[in-house]
């Protein structure tokens, strides 16, 4: 087992650019916990001895005196406020809220359902076709793609098969059709709940090629155990080839009709690129 900062953490191998930071942070927290555990353990044993019944036949009803405990508590609160405001919030803003440039990233929609992962690439035009829950048909159109939307003609959809190029940020818009699922890629150090009615963007950069499982990390129903996808990280050339092989075999999208129909159907907020 590989150690992280000297601790046998038992992490799976890491294949993403941010994974090392997460692993080290987790190891640092464990070191702190170890120090606290030993410190409090020693204090506990000290108290057992110091306040033993034989030496203290009568309980002290006054308790601790002096300002130490008050100042100590205030100090702890202050340190925690500093950690939250100066460290946690800025790191969250930079690492989680700030998404990579769309033109530099591979954009994919991942729509979870009982019990599969629907994968949706925007295709060559980089625009996701319109989807509508009313158009969903099990088997033939699990994503509810609108066949009349020209932007959707070149879209690539798969079930349980996600491909990503190496070294390029993957920007994933995660949603769910039914219940709460959780998109879990252990070696990418990615885990995010997929929540019906929400589109949650997540991103990471794969730094190793290989093939791994997409696991569902929420107990989402009877067949949760088999809600298992697969993703492949490959070179840009292999990825492009895969995209080509899977592109719909149709003529280039025709010019949209003059009086384009989409205006007639009020789109109920397609969960495409936010
Ligand atoms: Cu699930």
């Amino acid at each position: 087992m590989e150690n992280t900062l000297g601790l046998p953490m038992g992490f799976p191998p890491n294949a993403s650019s941010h994974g090392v930071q997460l692993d080290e942070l987790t190891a640092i927290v464990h070191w702190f916990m170890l120090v606290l555990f030993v410190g409090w353990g020693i204090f506990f044993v000290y108290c057992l001895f110091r306040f033993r019944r034989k030496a203290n036949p009568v309980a002290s009803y006054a308790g601790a005196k002096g300002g130490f405990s008050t100042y100590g508590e205030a100090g702890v609160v202050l340190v925690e406020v500093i950690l939250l405001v100066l460290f946690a919030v800025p790191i969250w803003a930079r690492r989680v809220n700030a998404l990579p440039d769309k033109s530099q990233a591979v954009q994919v929609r991942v729509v979870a359902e009982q019990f599969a992962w629907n994968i949706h690439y925007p295709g060559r035009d980089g625009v996701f076709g319109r989807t509508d829950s009313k158009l969903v048909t099990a088997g033939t159109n699990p994503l509810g793609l609108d066949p009349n939307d020209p932007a959707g003609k070149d879209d690539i959809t798969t079930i349980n098969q996600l491909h990503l190029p190496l070294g390029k940020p993957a920007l994933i818009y995660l949603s769910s059709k039914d219940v709460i699922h959780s998109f879990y890629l252990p070696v990418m150090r990615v885990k995010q709940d997929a929540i019906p009615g929400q589109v949650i963007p997540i991103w990471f950069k794969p730094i190793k090629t290989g093939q791994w499982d997409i696991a569902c990390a929420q107990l989402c129903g009877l067949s949760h155990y088999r809600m298992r996808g697969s993703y492949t990280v490959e070179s840009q050339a292999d990825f492009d080839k895969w995209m080509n092989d899977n592109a719909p075999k149709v003529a280039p999208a025709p010019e949209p009709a003059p009086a384009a129909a989409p205006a007639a159907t009020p789109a109920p907020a397609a969960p495409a690129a936010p």
Side-chain angles (χ1 to χ4, degrees):
M1 187 164 24
E2 249 182 75
N3 283 1
T4 310
L5 299 184
L7 284 179
M9 298 296 293
F11 292 133
N14 168 50
S16 75
S17 62
H18 71 278
V20 171
Q21 287 171 285
L22 267 188
D23 290 358
E24 291 187 353
L25 180 66
T26 311
I28 288 171
V29 170
H30 276 76
W31 270 119
F32 272 124
M33 290 305 114
L34 194 62
V35 169
L36 281 179
F37 175 73
V38 170
W40 283 116
I42 290 171
F43 181 67
F44 175 62
V45 171
Y46 165 77
C47 286
L48 284 182
F49 173 76
R50 169 69 183 76
F51 301 106
R52 66 191 186 282
R53 188 168 170 217
K54 209 185 266 177
N56 306 270
V58 181
S60 159
Y61 293 101
K65 294 206 184 68
F68 178 74
S69 65
T70 315
Y71 293 126
E73 293 284 325
V76 168
V77 170
L78 185 70
V79 168
E80 289 184 352
V81 167
I82 290 173
L83 283 179
L84 186 66
V85 175
L86 295 187
F87 292 92
V89 172
I91 289 173
W92 185 271
R94 201 171 58 234
R95 182 61 190 83
V96 181
N97 272 4
L99 298 174
D101 191 347
K102 281 179 190 167
S103 61
Q104 304 298 313
V106 179
Q107 299 189 75
V108 194
R109 288 180 63 223
V110 173
V111 182
E113 70 171 81
Q114 290 173 316
F115 297 92
W117 302 97
N118 294 288
I119 314 287
H120 182 187
Y121 291 89
R124 232 172 256 113
D125 63 358
V127 181
F128 290 104
R130 197 181 83 85
T131 56
D132 186 336
S133 56
K134 290 190 198 76
L135 299 170
V136 170
T137 46
T140 48
N141 192 1
L143 282 157
L145 264 173
D146 181 354
N148 297 320
D149 182 12
K153 298 281 188 221
D154 62 348
D155 287 15
I156 296 163
T157 61
T158 74
I159 293 174
N160 292 332
Q161 293 295 324
L162 176 64
H163 280 241
L164 297 170
L166 180 72
K168 204 170 175 183
L171 179 50
I172 293 178
Y173 303 104
L174 188 64
S175 57
S176 169
K177 278 160 66 173
D178 36 41
V179 300
I180 298 178
H181 300 271
S182 186
F183 182 71
Y184 183 28
L185 313 178
V187 303
M188 293 297 160
R189 303 295 188 269
V190 164
K191 186 191 266 177
Q192 170 63 55
D193 275 7
I195 299 170
Q198 287 191 21
V199 178
I200 301 172
I202 47 172
W203 74 278
F204 57 93
K205 191 159 93 178
I207 55 170
K208 276 184 198 155
T209 56
Q211 193 175 36
W212 300 278
D213 283 349
I214 304 172
C216 179
Q218 283 285 6
L219 188 54
C220 57
L222 278 179
S223 297
H224 160 71
Y225 72 93
R226 66 168 172 83
M227 184 163 170
R228 180 182 171 201
S230 162
Y231 66 105
T232 306
V233 175
E234 57 205 349
S235 68
Q236 183 73 47
D238 288 347
F239 175 74
D240 292 340
K241 183 175 177 304
W242 180 81
M243 287 290 249
N244 265 328
D245 292 348
N246 285 275
K249 306 285 181 284
V250 292
E255 291 296 308
T265 46

Short mmCIF file of all heavy atoms in Angstrom, two decimals, residues 212-255:
data_model
loop_
_atom_site.label_atom_id
_atom_site.label_comp_id
_atom_site.label_asym_id
_atom_site.label_seq_id
_atom_site.Cartn_x
_atom_site.Cartn_y
_atom_site.Cartn_z
N TRP A 212 -11.89 2.52 -16.29
CA TRP A 212 -12.35 2.30 -14.92
C TRP A 212 -13.88 2.29 -14.87
O TRP A 212 -14.55 2.56 -15.86
CB TRP A 212 -11.83 3.41 -14.00
CG TRP A 212 -10.35 3.51 -13.94
CD1 TRP A 212 -9.52 2.75 -13.16
CD2 TRP A 212 -9.49 4.40 -14.67
NE1 TRP A 212 -8.20 3.12 -13.36
CE2 TRP A 212 -8.16 4.12 -14.28
CE3 TRP A 212 -9.72 5.40 -15.63
CZ2 TRP A 212 -7.07 4.82 -14.80
CZ3 TRP A 212 -8.64 6.09 -16.14
CH2 TRP A 212 -7.33 5.79 -15.74
N ASP A 213 -14.39 2.04 -13.66
CA ASP A 213 -15.85 1.99 -13.48
C ASP A 213 -16.43 3.34 -13.10
O ASP A 213 -15.80 4.10 -12.37
CB ASP A 213 -16.20 1.02 -12.34
CG ASP A 213 -16.11 -0.43 -12.78
OD1 ASP A 213 -15.98 -0.66 -13.99
OD2 ASP A 213 -16.17 -1.31 -11.91
N ILE A 214 -17.64 3.59 -13.58
CA ILE A 214 -18.45 4.67 -13.02
C ILE A 214 -19.37 3.98 -12.03
O ILE A 214 -20.16 3.11 -12.40
CB ILE A 214 -19.33 5.35 -14.09
CG1 ILE A 214 -18.49 5.86 -15.25
CG2 ILE A 214 -20.15 6.47 -13.46
CD1 ILE A 214 -19.33 6.39 -16.42
N ALA A 215 -19.24 4.33 -10.77
CA ALA A 215 -20.08 3.70 -9.76
C ALA A 215 -21.18 4.66 -9.35
O ALA A 215 -21.02 5.86 -9.43
CB ALA A 215 -19.23 3.32 -8.56
N CYS A 216 -22.31 4.11 -8.93
CA CYS A 216 -23.34 4.95 -8.33
C CYS A 216 -23.16 4.84 -6.81
O CYS A 216 -23.18 3.74 -6.27
CB CYS A 216 -24.74 4.50 -8.72
SG CYS A 216 -26.00 5.53 -7.97
N ALA A 217 -22.95 5.99 -6.19
CA ALA A 217 -22.64 5.97 -4.76
C ALA A 217 -23.84 6.37 -3.90
O ALA A 217 -23.68 6.79 -2.77
CB ALA A 217 -21.45 6.88 -4.48
N GLN A 218 -25.04 6.27 -4.45
CA GLN A 218 -26.24 6.46 -3.62
C GLN A 218 -27.11 5.21 -3.79
O GLN A 218 -27.32 4.77 -4.93
CB GLN A 218 -27.05 7.67 -4.08
CG GLN A 218 -26.49 9.01 -3.67
CD GLN A 218 -26.72 9.32 -2.21
OE1 GLN A 218 -27.21 8.50 -1.44
NE2 GLN A 218 -26.34 10.51 -1.81
N LEU A 219 -27.60 4.72 -2.69
CA LEU A 219 -28.50 3.57 -2.77
C LEU A 219 -29.79 4.04 -3.44
O LEU A 219 -30.62 4.67 -2.81
CB LEU A 219 -28.77 3.05 -1.35
CG LEU A 219 -29.53 1.74 -1.24
CD1 LEU A 219 -28.86 0.66 -2.05
CD2 LEU A 219 -29.63 1.33 0.20
N CYS A 220 -29.90 3.77 -4.75
CA CYS A 220 -30.93 4.44 -5.53
C CYS A 220 -32.09 3.54 -5.91
O CYS A 220 -32.98 3.93 -6.66
CB CYS A 220 -30.29 5.04 -6.79
SG CYS A 220 -29.46 3.81 -7.80
N GLY A 221 -32.09 2.32 -5.41
CA GLY A 221 -33.18 1.41 -5.75
C GLY A 221 -32.71 -0.02 -5.71
O GLY A 221 -31.56 -0.31 -5.37
N LEU A 222 -33.61 -0.93 -6.09
CA LEU A 222 -33.32 -2.36 -5.95
C LEU A 222 -32.13 -2.81 -6.76
O LEU A 222 -31.39 -3.68 -6.36
CB LEU A 222 -34.55 -3.18 -6.34
CG LEU A 222 -35.61 -3.33 -5.25
CD1 LEU A 222 -36.79 -4.14 -5.77
CD2 LEU A 222 -35.01 -4.01 -4.02
N SER A 223 -31.96 -2.23 -7.95
CA SER A 223 -30.86 -2.67 -8.80
C SER A 223 -29.68 -1.71 -8.76
O SER A 223 -28.87 -1.66 -9.69
CB SER A 223 -31.33 -2.85 -10.24
OG SER A 223 -32.31 -3.86 -10.30
N HIS A 224 -29.59 -0.96 -7.68
CA HIS A 224 -28.46 -0.05 -7.49
C HIS A 224 -27.13 -0.75 -7.73
O HIS A 224 -26.21 -0.18 -8.32
CB HIS A 224 -28.53 0.52 -6.07
CG HIS A 224 -27.27 1.08 -5.56
ND1 HIS A 224 -26.74 2.27 -6.04
CD2 HIS A 224 -26.39 0.65 -4.62
CE1 HIS A 224 -25.61 2.53 -5.40
NE2 HIS A 224 -25.38 1.57 -4.54
N TYR A 225 -27.04 -1.99 -7.27
CA TYR A 225 -25.77 -2.72 -7.36
C TYR A 225 -25.27 -2.87 -8.79
O TYR A 225 -24.09 -3.01 -9.04
CB TYR A 225 -25.91 -4.09 -6.70
CG TYR A 225 -26.75 -5.05 -7.51
CD1 TYR A 225 -26.16 -5.91 -8.43
CD2 TYR A 225 -28.15 -5.05 -7.38
CE1 TYR A 225 -26.94 -6.76 -9.20
CE2 TYR A 225 -28.92 -5.89 -8.15
CZ TYR A 225 -28.32 -6.74 -9.06
OH TYR A 225 -29.07 -7.56 -9.83
N ARG A 226 -26.20 -2.86 -9.76
CA ARG A 226 -25.72 -3.05 -11.13
C ARG A 226 -25.71 -1.74 -11.93
O ARG A 226 -25.60 -1.75 -13.14
CB ARG A 226 -26.53 -4.14 -11.85
CG ARG A 226 -27.98 -3.79 -12.08
CD ARG A 226 -28.60 -4.81 -13.05
NE ARG A 226 -30.03 -4.62 -13.17
CZ ARG A 226 -30.60 -3.74 -13.98
NH1 ARG A 226 -29.86 -2.95 -14.71
NH2 ARG A 226 -31.91 -3.65 -14.04
N MET A 227 -25.82 -0.64 -11.24
CA MET A 227 -25.74 0.66 -11.92
C MET A 227 -24.27 1.00 -12.08
O MET A 227 -23.69 1.75 -11.31
CB MET A 227 -26.44 1.74 -11.10
CG MET A 227 -26.47 3.06 -11.83
SD MET A 227 -27.67 4.15 -11.11
CE MET A 227 -27.24 5.66 -11.97
N ARG A 228 -23.69 0.40 -13.10
CA ARG A 228 -22.25 0.45 -13.24
C ARG A 228 -21.92 0.80 -14.67
O ARG A 228 -22.29 0.09 -15.59
CB ARG A 228 -21.71 -0.91 -12.86
CG ARG A 228 -20.24 -1.05 -12.93
CD ARG A 228 -19.92 -2.48 -12.58
NE ARG A 228 -18.53 -2.76 -12.81
CZ ARG A 228 -18.05 -3.98 -12.99
NH1 ARG A 228 -18.85 -5.01 -12.96
NH2 ARG A 228 -16.77 -4.15 -13.19
N GLY A 229 -21.26 1.92 -14.84
CA GLY A 229 -20.81 2.32 -16.17
C GLY A 229 -19.32 2.11 -16.29
O GLY A 229 -18.68 1.57 -15.39
N SER A 230 -18.80 2.55 -17.41
CA SER A 230 -17.37 2.39 -17.64
C SER A 230 -16.88 3.66 -18.32
O SER A 230 -17.58 4.24 -19.13
CB SER A 230 -17.16 1.17 -18.53
OG SER A 230 -15.88 1.22 -19.11
N TYR A 231 -15.70 4.10 -17.96
CA TYR A 231 -15.15 5.23 -18.69
C TYR A 231 -13.71 4.95 -19.08
O TYR A 231 -12.99 4.23 -18.41
CB TYR A 231 -15.29 6.55 -17.93
CG TYR A 231 -14.50 6.66 -16.66
CD1 TYR A 231 -13.34 7.42 -16.60
CD2 TYR A 231 -14.92 6.00 -15.51
CE1 TYR A 231 -12.62 7.54 -15.43
CE2 TYR A 231 -14.20 6.11 -14.34
CZ TYR A 231 -13.05 6.88 -14.29
OH TYR A 231 -12.35 6.97 -13.14
N THR A 232 -13.36 5.54 -20.21
CA THR A 232 -12.06 5.29 -20.80
C THR A 232 -11.36 6.62 -20.99
O THR A 232 -11.93 7.54 -21.57
CB THR A 232 -12.23 4.61 -22.18
OG1 THR A 232 -13.05 3.44 -22.00
CG2 THR A 232 -10.91 4.21 -22.77
N VAL A 233 -10.16 6.72 -20.48
CA VAL A 233 -9.33 7.90 -20.77
C VAL A 233 -8.30 7.46 -21.79
O VAL A 233 -7.59 6.48 -21.59
CB VAL A 233 -8.65 8.43 -19.50
CG1 VAL A 233 -7.72 9.57 -19.84
CG2 VAL A 233 -9.70 8.87 -18.48
N GLU A 234 -8.25 8.17 -22.90
CA GLU A 234 -7.36 7.78 -23.99
C GLU A 234 -6.72 9.01 -24.61
O GLU A 234 -7.12 10.14 -24.29
CB GLU A 234 -8.15 6.98 -25.04
CG GLU A 234 -9.33 7.76 -25.58
CD GLU A 234 -10.45 6.87 -26.12
OE1 GLU A 234 -10.25 5.66 -26.27
OE2 GLU A 234 -11.52 7.41 -26.39
N SER A 235 -5.78 8.79 -25.50
CA SER A 235 -5.10 9.92 -26.15
C SER A 235 -6.12 10.70 -26.97
O SER A 235 -7.17 10.18 -27.35
CB SER A 235 -3.99 9.41 -27.05
OG SER A 235 -4.56 8.71 -28.14
N GLN A 236 -5.80 11.94 -27.25
CA GLN A 236 -6.71 12.78 -28.03
C GLN A 236 -7.04 12.12 -29.38
O GLN A 236 -8.18 12.13 -29.83
CB GLN A 236 -6.07 14.16 -28.27
CG GLN A 236 -6.96 15.15 -29.00
CD GLN A 236 -8.10 15.69 -28.15
OE1 GLN A 236 -7.89 16.09 -27.01
NE2 GLN A 236 -9.31 15.71 -28.67
N ALA A 237 -6.02 11.49 -30.00
CA ALA A 237 -6.25 10.86 -31.30
C ALA A 237 -7.25 9.70 -31.18
O ALA A 237 -8.18 9.59 -31.99
CB ALA A 237 -4.93 10.36 -31.88
N ASP A 238 -7.05 8.87 -30.16
CA ASP A 238 -7.98 7.75 -29.97
C ASP A 238 -9.39 8.25 -29.64
O ASP A 238 -10.38 7.68 -30.07
CB ASP A 238 -7.50 6.85 -28.82
CG ASP A 238 -6.28 6.04 -29.21
OD1 ASP A 238 -5.97 6.00 -30.42
OD2 ASP A 238 -5.63 5.47 -28.31
N PHE A 239 -9.42 9.33 -28.86
CA PHE A 239 -10.72 9.91 -28.50
C PHE A 239 -11.43 10.43 -29.75
O PHE A 239 -12.63 10.17 -29.96
CB PHE A 239 -10.51 11.03 -27.48
CG PHE A 239 -11.77 11.77 -27.13
CD1 PHE A 239 -12.73 11.18 -26.32
CD2 PHE A 239 -12.01 13.05 -27.62
CE1 PHE A 239 -13.90 11.85 -25.99
CE2 PHE A 239 -13.18 13.73 -27.30
CZ PHE A 239 -14.13 13.13 -26.49
N ASP A 240 -10.68 11.15 -30.59
CA ASP A 240 -11.29 11.68 -31.82
C ASP A 240 -11.81 10.55 -32.70
O ASP A 240 -12.87 10.64 -33.30
CB ASP A 240 -10.26 12.51 -32.60
CG ASP A 240 -9.91 13.80 -31.86
OD1 ASP A 240 -10.71 14.21 -30.99
OD2 ASP A 240 -8.85 14.38 -32.13
N LYS A 241 -11.01 9.46 -32.75
CA LYS A 241 -11.42 8.32 -33.56
C LYS A 241 -12.72 7.73 -32.99
O LYS A 241 -13.66 7.43 -33.73
CB LYS A 241 -10.31 7.27 -33.56
CG LYS A 241 -10.62 6.06 -34.43
CD LYS A 241 -9.45 5.10 -34.51
CE LYS A 241 -9.80 3.86 -35.31
NZ LYS A 241 -10.99 3.14 -34.80
N TRP A 242 -12.77 7.60 -31.68
CA TRP A 242 -13.98 7.04 -31.05
C TRP A 242 -15.19 7.93 -31.35
O TRP A 242 -16.28 7.45 -31.67
CB TRP A 242 -13.77 6.91 -29.54
CG TRP A 242 -14.95 6.34 -28.83
CD1 TRP A 242 -15.28 5.02 -28.74
CD2 TRP A 242 -15.98 7.07 -28.16
NE1 TRP A 242 -16.45 4.88 -28.03
CE2 TRP A 242 -16.90 6.11 -27.66
CE3 TRP A 242 -16.21 8.41 -27.91
CZ2 TRP A 242 -18.04 6.48 -26.93
CZ3 TRP A 242 -17.33 8.79 -27.19
CH2 TRP A 242 -18.24 7.82 -26.70
N MET A 243 -14.97 9.26 -31.28
CA MET A 243 -16.06 10.19 -31.56
C MET A 243 -16.54 10.00 -32.99
O MET A 243 -17.74 9.98 -33.26
CB MET A 243 -15.58 11.64 -31.37
CG MET A 243 -15.40 12.04 -29.94
SD MET A 243 -16.96 12.18 -29.08
CE MET A 243 -17.05 13.91 -28.83
N ASN A 244 -15.57 9.88 -33.91
CA ASN A 244 -15.93 9.69 -35.32
C ASN A 244 -16.70 8.40 -35.54
O ASN A 244 -17.72 8.37 -36.23
CB ASN A 244 -14.66 9.66 -36.18
CG ASN A 244 -14.37 11.03 -36.75
OD1 ASN A 244 -15.31 11.80 -37.01
ND2 ASN A 244 -13.10 11.35 -36.92
N ASP A 245 -16.20 7.33 -34.90
CA ASP A 245 -16.85 6.03 -35.08
C ASP A 245 -18.28 6.03 -34.54
O ASP A 245 -19.13 5.28 -35.00
CB ASP A 245 -16.05 4.93 -34.37
CG ASP A 245 -14.70 4.68 -35.03
OD1 ASP A 245 -14.52 5.21 -36.15
OD2 ASP A 245 -13.84 4.01 -34.44
N ASN A 246 -18.51 6.84 -33.53
CA ASN A 246 -19.82 6.84 -32.89
C ASN A 246 -20.74 7.96 -33.35
O ASN A 246 -21.88 8.04 -32.90
CB ASN A 246 -19.66 6.90 -31.37
CG ASN A 246 -19.21 5.56 -30.81
OD1 ASN A 246 -20.02 4.69 -30.54
ND2 ASN A 246 -17.91 5.38 -30.71
N ALA A 247 -20.20 8.83 -34.21
CA ALA A 247 -21.03 9.93 -34.70
C ALA A 247 -22.19 9.37 -35.51
O ALA A 247 -22.03 8.37 -36.22
CB ALA A 247 -20.19 10.87 -35.54
N PRO A 248 -23.35 9.98 -35.43
CA PRO A 248 -24.49 9.50 -36.21
C PRO A 248 -24.16 9.56 -37.70
O PRO A 248 -23.59 10.55 -38.16
CB PRO A 248 -25.61 10.47 -35.86
CG PRO A 248 -25.13 11.27 -34.71
CD PRO A 248 -23.65 11.17 -34.65
N LYS A 249 -24.51 8.48 -38.41
CA LYS A 249 -24.19 8.44 -39.85
C LYS A 249 -25.31 9.15 -40.62
O LYS A 249 -26.19 8.53 -41.19
CB LYS A 249 -24.08 6.98 -40.32
CG LYS A 249 -23.09 6.17 -39.52
CD LYS A 249 -21.64 6.52 -39.85
CE LYS A 249 -20.65 5.69 -39.06
NZ LYS A 249 -20.50 6.14 -37.64
N VAL A 250 -25.26 10.46 -40.57
CA VAL A 250 -26.26 11.24 -41.30
C VAL A 250 -25.55 12.32 -42.09
O VAL A 250 -24.41 12.67 -41.80
CB VAL A 250 -27.29 11.91 -40.36
CG1 VAL A 250 -28.17 10.88 -39.70
CG2 VAL A 250 -26.58 12.75 -39.32
N ALA A 251 -26.26 12.84 -43.07
CA ALA A 251 -25.73 13.96 -43.84
C ALA A 251 -25.59 15.15 -42.89
O ALA A 251 -26.28 15.22 -41.88
CB ALA A 251 -26.68 14.29 -44.98
N PRO A 252 -24.70 16.09 -43.24
CA PRO A 252 -24.57 17.28 -42.41
C PRO A 252 -25.94 17.92 -42.17
O PRO A 252 -26.82 17.86 -43.03
CB PRO A 252 -23.68 18.19 -43.23
CG PRO A 252 -22.99 17.31 -44.20
CD PRO A 252 -23.85 16.10 -44.40
N ALA A 253 -26.08 18.50 -41.01
CA ALA A 253 -27.38 19.08 -40.65
C ALA A 253 -27.87 20.03 -41.73
O ALA A 253 -27.11 20.88 -42.19
CB ALA A 253 -27.24 19.82 -39.33
N PRO A 254 -29.11 19.86 -42.16
CA PRO A 254 -29.66 20.77 -43.18
C PRO A 254 -29.87 22.15 -42.59
O PRO A 254 -29.94 22.32 -41.38
CB PRO A 254 -30.99 20.12 -43.54
CG PRO A 254 -31.37 19.33 -42.33
CD PRO A 254 -30.09 18.92 -41.67
N GLU A 255 -29.98 23.13 -43.51
CA GLU A 255 -30.27 24.49 -43.05
C GLU A 255 -31.60 24.46 -42.29
O GLU A 255 -32.55 23.82 -42.73
CB GLU A 255 -30.40 25.42 -44.26
CG GLU A 255 -29.08 25.65 -44.99
CD GLU A 255 -28.05 26.36 -44.13
OE1 GLU A 255 -28.39 27.43 -43.58
OE2 GLU A 255 -26.93 25.86 -43.99
#
